[in-house]
Amino acid sequence: VDRSWFGHTNGVQRIEKKMKIDGVLNELCWYNATVFTNFIQIEPDIFKPSTTKSELYFTYDSANIYLGGKLYQSNKTIAANNGRKDDLKTLQSDCIIIGLDPLNNGNSAYTFVINPVNAQMDGTIDMVGNFDFSWDAVFISQTSIQDDFWTFELQLPLTSINFQNKDIQTWGIMFSRRYANNQEKSINQLVDKNFPFRVSDFHKITDVRGLSKTKNIQSKLSKFSSTFSFFYIYFLPFKLF
């Protein structure tokens, strides 16, 4: 099925049917998902369009956030190992990094990393793009590798994150891709080349509505200090991403 026209970029529609998470983007719910396709390089040719096509999706229901992606590349070029959770080597493989700011305050964000064989990482990002992978979430993901692309689906329960207590909300979101075969890093929105993961520069998803906060939220975003900076990762001799 050709999904090149899936979704939209102005707001998001809530779905009513819970998805089956199997790594294959064949549910009708993805047709109404918010889609991100115009990726910009961070390396090696900063601000130029990505050399490979990426399609990333966001949707939600009353209890979960759903994230999906279709990442185009020959399966012969895929570089990925299924290591332990939060293994920094995952950032050296083909992978997708997701940043999510449900409070929309630009101070901090949740982050999730998935590679083609479903190695997982999760953590937090501070306002300027420093990563901390000590935070753990409850979420489900699956991947699928085809001849010319790989896909993923991720289900994040709302009880795993903190979000606004409003009827209608705006969230910040960011997707970044590492394409190992070309040593290429790209992002869906690049404002400042020195701080590509600055939370206030995340893309805005509007019209998120109908979410109810519960008392059993497992983790709240807070300010933290970290020397694990996205900027420094890019320029260390041993590059993690």
Side-chain angles (χ1 to χ4, degrees):
V1 177
D2 179 11
R3 298 183 181 86
S4 61
W5 56 275
F6 272 31
H8 48 79
T9 57
N10 298 318
V12 61
Q13 294 183 25
R14 179 174 136 174
I15 62 175
E16 301 302 326
K17 184 178 180 181
K18 187 175 180 179
M19 285 199 195
K20 177 183 178 181
I21 303 302
D22 57 9
V24 181
L25 298 172
N26 56 3
E27 291 86 0
L28 293 178
C29 301
W30 292 116
Y31 278 83
N32 289 322
T34 299
V35 62
F36 301 84
T37 57
N38 297 320
F39 277 62
I40 299 168
Q41 290 186 55
I42 302 172
E43 285 190 0
D45 297 316
I46 193 164
F47 288 116
K48 289 189 177 181
S50 175
T51 62
T52 186
K53 187 177 179 180
S54 304
E55 298 172 1
L56 280 301
Y57 301 95
F58 174 98
T59 191
Y60 69 103
D61 61 23
S62 61
N64 302 279
I65 300 301
Y66 298 100
L67 299 153
K70 184 175 183 180
L71 299 313
Y72 290 83
Q73 67 183 99
S74 168
N75 60 11
K76 296 178 181 179
T77 68
I78 287 177
N81 293 314
N82 193 357
R84 61 181 174 82
K85 189 172 183 290
D86 291 336
D87 189 337
L88 294 179
K89 291 182 180 179
T90 301
L91 294 171
Q92 296 177 280
S93 68
D94 290 298
C95 65
I96 284 291
I97 296 179
I98 302 162
L100 194 63
D101 178 15
L103 296 175
N104 193 36
N105 58 18
N107 290 330
S108 52
Y110 301 104
T111 186
F112 305 90
V113 183
I114 302 293
N115 79 0
V117 294
N118 201 33
Q120 300 175 340
M121 301 179 71
D122 53 12
T124 53
I125 311 173
D126 74 5
M127 65 174 63
V128 296
N130 295 317
F131 282 64
D132 182 344
F133 288 107
S134 63
W135 175 77
D136 289 313
V138 175
F139 69 97
I140 301 169
S141 66
Q142 292 292 337
T143 60
S144 176
I145 299 176
Q146 306 299 321
D147 289 343
D148 299 315
F149 60 87
W150 63 277
T151 57
F152 78 89
E153 292 180 315
L154 187 155
Q155 176 185 332
L156 175 66
L158 288 171
T159 52
S160 292
I161 61 174
N162 194 22
F163 55 93
Q164 303 158 66
N165 190 19
K166 297 179 180 179
D167 292 335
I168 303 175
Q169 304 178 28
T170 295
W171 290 19
I173 193 167
M174 175 279 306
F175 295 101
S176 183
R177 178 181 182 183
R178 185 176 194 272
Y179 179 36
N181 190 59
N182 279 8
Q183 293 297 301
E184 180 178 304
K185 297 111 180 182
S186 59
I187 194 168
N188 66 297
Q189 181 165 291
L190 181 58
V191 177
D192 186 337
K193 66 179 181 180
N194 294 317
F195 300 97
F197 274 13
R198 185 164 52 199
V199 177
S200 60
D201 292 334
F202 283 10
H203 182 92
K204 302 300 181 183
I205 292 178
T206 61
D207 207 32
V208 179
R209 60 178 68 205
L211 303 184
S212 298
K213 300 189 74 169
T214 61
K215 295 182 180 179
N216 63 328
I217 292 176
Q218 298 166 5
S219 180
K220 293 185 178 181
L221 281 174
S222 60
K223 293 183 179 180
F224 62 91
S225 61
S226 173
T227 58
F228 187 45
S229 170
F230 179 80
F231 176 80
Y232 291 119
I233 290 171
Y234 265 56
F235 294 97
L236 281 172
F238 177 67
K239 295 183 180 179
L240 298 177
F241 175 63

